[in-house]
Structures are given as C-alpha cells and as structure tokens.
Amino acid sequence: MLDVMEQDRAFLAEKDARIFELEARISALRAANKSAREQLNSYKYPVTTLPSKIVREVFLYMAPSYPYLLPLIARYSPLLLTQVCSQWRKIAHETPALWRAIDLTLSRKRQTSIDARLATFLASSWLARSSSLPLSIRYDDRHADGVSLSLISTLVPHRCCFEYLMLYVSGAQLNTIAGPMPVLRELHLHLQGTEFDAVTFHSQDLPLLRALRLESSSPLSITFPWSQLTSLELKRLHSHDYMSALKQTSQLVHLKLDVFAPDTPLVETDIVLPYLESLVIENTIDTNRALLGLLVTPGLVRLQLHEHSLQGYTELARIESLAAFVVKSGCQLCELEITESVEEISEEALCEAFSSIPTVKIQLSPEYEDEYYYEYAFDDGDSDCSWLE
C-alpha cells in the first residue's frame, strides 16, 4: 500500500515538473509572439504616414477630371479607395469632390450586379458625401428591369446642385425631376416613350443653361429657354419641332442637327443665326434637303454636312446649292467637310469650287455601324458637350 502511494506521488511530481516546463515554454512563445506583434504594429507603411491632405490630392488625381462621370462600381469608382484601409476610407468619405460625378446607368452591359434598391442606396450615399458641390449626373435605366421612380426621386433634393445633367427618361420621370436648377450649364435629355405631359423650363429656373442636347422621336411638348442657349444638338425631332426651336435660338454658337425621322417637307422662312460658328448636319433625308437653304449664318467658320443635306441629285447641283448657302450667309468658312459621301461629289471638284476655304475634305460612307453612340467613353473634343460623348 505504501509503495503504491509512493509511486503515485512520484508520478504526480514528474508530471507537475513536465507541466511547469511546458508552461514556461508556452509563456516564452507568447512573449515572443507579443514582441513580434508589437514590432509589426509599430511599423508604419510609408503611404500611411502621408498627411491626409496629400492622400486626398492623390485620390483626386486618380479620378477622371470633373465633370467626367464615375461608375457606381467597377474601375475608377471611388468606392475602391474605401476598401483599402480604414484611414483611406475616412479620407475618401471626407473628400466631396470624389463623389460629385455619378453615372447612374443600370443595364445588362454595365453594373449588372446593381439592382434599383442598391443603386438608390449608393446614389444617396454619394450625393450626401458630395456636400454642396456642383454635380455631374447621368441617369439611364433603359435596359434595367423593374426599376421604379425611387432612384430618380433620390436625385430630386439635389437639383439645386446639378451642373451637368444627362437623362434618359420617360414622361413620368421627367415630371418628377423637373424644377429649378440654378447652376445647370449643360442638359442632355433623351425622351423615351410617346406620352409626355407639357413641361416648361423657365429661364429663371435654369439661368445658367447654355448647352442642350435633345433627342425625341415623339412630338415635342417641352419648352426650354431657347434664347439663352449657345450650344444646341437636336436628334430625331420632327421638322416642325426643330424649326420652331431654331427660330428662338438667336444666340447659338454651336449647332448640330441629326435629322433622321421622316417628316413633311419644310416650308419655312429664313432663320438667321448671327453668332453661329460651327454647324453640323447629319442623317438628313430627302424631304429635308431644303434645311440648309433656310439658314443664314454670317459668322460660320466650320461646316460639316451629310451629303444628303445638299439639294440636287448631281455633283454640280449639290455644289451649287452649297455655294448658294455660303454666298447667302456671307460667311468666311475655314473648314468644310462632307460626310457619308457615296462619291457623288468628288473631293477634287469640291476643292476647286471652294478654293478659298483652307480645309476642305470628304468622308466616304463607312460600312454599317451601330447607331447607338452614347457609350461610356470620354474624349477631349471641341464640342461644349464633349463631357458626355
């Protein structure tokens, strides 16, 4: 009995010694671990030691220059900066200029993982972070399924900050967002559907508006402060709509007409645009060949025409109709370009007829191309509307 007890005491003593030895080793390992962790925590990555002001400038340098648009997600979205570390997230959230240009395009091609509710939440967050800075906004839900008015309603409280605005909207959506926009400079409006209530944008509501791009295949029921515009692009409007608009735009400097929809022949009086410097006419059909002859543009410098916008069906007749326009306007052209030519007018004949013009060129008609050209790609064009090309 005593021998058994002695053996148990020896066993316990041996195990206690072993436990003490292991605990000592574990304590040493924990101490080494703690020391290494403290050393790592004390290390500062060079980028995290930069002052917040410098980091903020780097962020702004990374983003495309305002008013070019940024997607809610994907490349160039400022949301990527918020996912690096808490310090960067805080700096990004406190930099209003990062959140002032928003592309709210909901489609299968882009931002496919965003539904209306998520887009509304993200848009609301961006707008809140932009503070009171002027905004550049694109809204387009043409290819999204089940999108309600909730997203566009999110924009309404920020109308006073809209500076550059591009909308693809239905009648109900337009009525929702219409209202005073005191700092709006450029408006691109693409009307969808066939039913629109009458909407009037008064001059006092849009005092700074100077550039307008308007597309609608339906009769126009919207009134703009036409007289204050200096840049105008009209696409697919009926003849009486764009003629009515041109009669009220005497201050225009840049004009682009994309006359594609069939309509009745023009029977109008001359329209004088004394300050117009550049004129582009595209996709003119036979019933609207008289359009150019109705314009009087004494200050015109650059002229680009679709070949079908010239009256006549022979090379000589078309050149004569163009010459008649130049003489009637009394303008001194510096650049003349004929586009979509099918070689009915030779460049040699054109240069000979307009030898006083420094730059004369003809662009041959290309192979069939997709008509949809409002892609998410920006360039540094001369047009006042290049920010949303």
Side-chain angles (χ1 to χ4, degrees):
M1 183 68 178
L2 292 176
D3 291 341
V4 173
M5 293 177 64
E6 187 64 27
Q7 290 176 1
D8 289 341
R9 290 190 183 98
F11 178 81
L12 290 175
E14 180 184 353
K15 298 308 177 184
D16 286 340
R18 181 61 176 166
I19 290 172
F20 179 80
E21 179 186 352
L22 293 175
E23 287 179 344
R25 293 178 62 182
I26 291 173
S27 296
L29 290 173
R30 285 175 175 167
N33 193 330
K34 180 180 178 181
S35 177
R37 190 179 302 279
E38 290 175 349
Q39 184 174 350
L40 283 174
N41 291 339
S42 66
Y43 178 79
K44 298 293 184 183
Y45 292 93
V47 70
T48 63
T49 63
L50 292 174
S52 297
K53 183 177 181 180
I54 300 299
V55 176
R56 184 173 292 110
E57 290 300 319
V58 172
F59 287 175
L60 294 175
Y61 182 81
M62 178 278 303
S65 299
Y66 179 83
Y68 290 172
L69 298 165
L70 299 175
L72 286 178
I73 60 174
R75 188 181 182 186
Y76 295 122
S77 171
L79 286 178
L80 298 177
L81 300 173
T82 68
Q83 300 170 9
V84 176
C85 63
S86 59
Q87 180 183 353
W88 279 27
R89 184 181 306 112
K90 183 176 184 296
I91 295 173
H93 285 175
E94 295 175 353
T95 307
L98 281 176
W99 312 97
R100 62 187 303 206
I102 315 174
D103 186 1
L104 296 174
T105 298
L106 305 180
S107 71
R108 301 180 184 88
K109 183 176 181 181
R110 287 188 248 149
Q111 303 176 349
T112 53
S113 62
I114 295 184
D115 60 19
R117 288 180 296 177
L118 177 57
T120 300
F121 170 77
L122 291 176
S124 179
S125 301
W126 282 46
L127 292 168
R129 294 170 192 155
S130 69
S131 187
S132 58
L133 289 179
L135 299 171
S136 175
I137 304 288
R138 169 176 171 149
Y139 175 86
D140 180 1
D141 66 4
R142 289 173 298 170
H143 305 293
D145 297 326
V147 175
S148 67
L149 291 173
S150 61
L151 178 54
I152 200 165
S153 297
T154 302
L155 303 176
V156 174
H158 301 270
R159 277 188 312 217
C160 61
C161 296
F162 292 166
E163 186 175 20
Y164 301 91
L165 184 61
M166 185 178 197
L167 299 174
Y168 291 81
V169 292
S170 63
Q173 292 170 321
L174 181 62
N175 289 330
T176 299
I177 204 168
M181 303 179 199
V183 299
L184 186 66
R185 297 181 182 276
E186 295 190 13
L187 173 62
H188 296 193
L189 186 58
H190 304 255
L191 303 178
Q192 306 173 60
T194 57
E195 296 183 3
F196 287 90
D197 295 332
V199 178
T200 299
F201 291 94
H202 297 284
S203 179
Q204 59 267 30
D205 293 334
L206 309 174
L208 300 184
L209 183 65
R210 295 295 180 269
L212 172 65
R213 174 187 286 173
L214 179 61
E215 176 178 350
S216 175
S217 58
S218 303
L220 198 60
S221 58
I222 305 174
T223 303
F224 295 95
W226 302 104
S227 62
Q228 67 190 48
L229 298 178
T230 59
S231 179
L232 178 63
E233 178 177 342
L234 301 177
K235 180 179 175 66
R236 298 183 181 274
L237 267 64
H238 289 210
S239 294
H240 65 274
D241 286 330
Y242 68 72
M243 293 304 294
S244 175
L246 291 178
K247 290 177 181 179
Q248 305 173 64
T249 53
S250 60
Q251 302 299 314
L252 283 182
V253 177
H254 306 286
L255 174 62
K256 181 176 180 179
L257 300 174
D258 193 340
V259 187
F260 183 80
D263 208 342
T264 56
L266 296 172
V267 181
E268 298 281 350
T269 57
D270 288 348
I271 297 176
V272 181
L273 303 174
Y275 306 108
L276 195 68
E277 296 179 3
S278 69
L279 172 61
V280 178
I281 301 180
E282 297 181 346
N283 290 335
T284 300
I285 58 178
D286 288 348
T287 56
N288 289 321
R289 287 179 183 270
L291 171 61
L292 185 65
L294 298 177
L295 301 178
V296 179
T297 57
L300 195 64
V301 176
R302 178 178 179 270
L303 177 60
Q304 178 181 314
L305 298 172
H306 190 288
E307 187 176 62
H308 289 169
S309 58
L310 298 173
Q311 288 185 294
Y313 294 94
T314 65
E315 178 182 74
L316 179 61
R318 292 189 172 186
I319 290 179
E320 287 179 345
S321 71
L322 181 54
F325 162 75
V326 173
V327 171
K328 179 180 178 180
S329 293
C331 56
Q332 300 294 322
L333 288 178
C334 293
E335 182 178 343
L336 171 61
E337 180 177 359
I338 306 298
T339 63
E340 301 294 324
S341 174
V342 291
E343 297 185 328
E344 293 183 14
I345 299 179
S346 68
E347 189 164 347
E348 180 181 357
L350 194 66
C351 290
E352 181 179 353
F354 299 97
S355 57
S356 62
I357 300 177
T359 303
V360 177
K361 52 187 176 181
I362 291 181
Q363 179 188 87
L364 296 180
S365 179
E367 297 293 329
Y368 173 79
E369 294 179 351
D370 186 4
E371 288 182 359
Y372 182 79
Y373 61 89
Y374 294 110
E375 295 292 340
Y376 183 76
F378 303 119
D379 56 45
D380 295 323
D382 295 331
S383 169
D384 287 352
C385 299
S386 63
W387 65 282
L388 280 173
E389 292 288 356

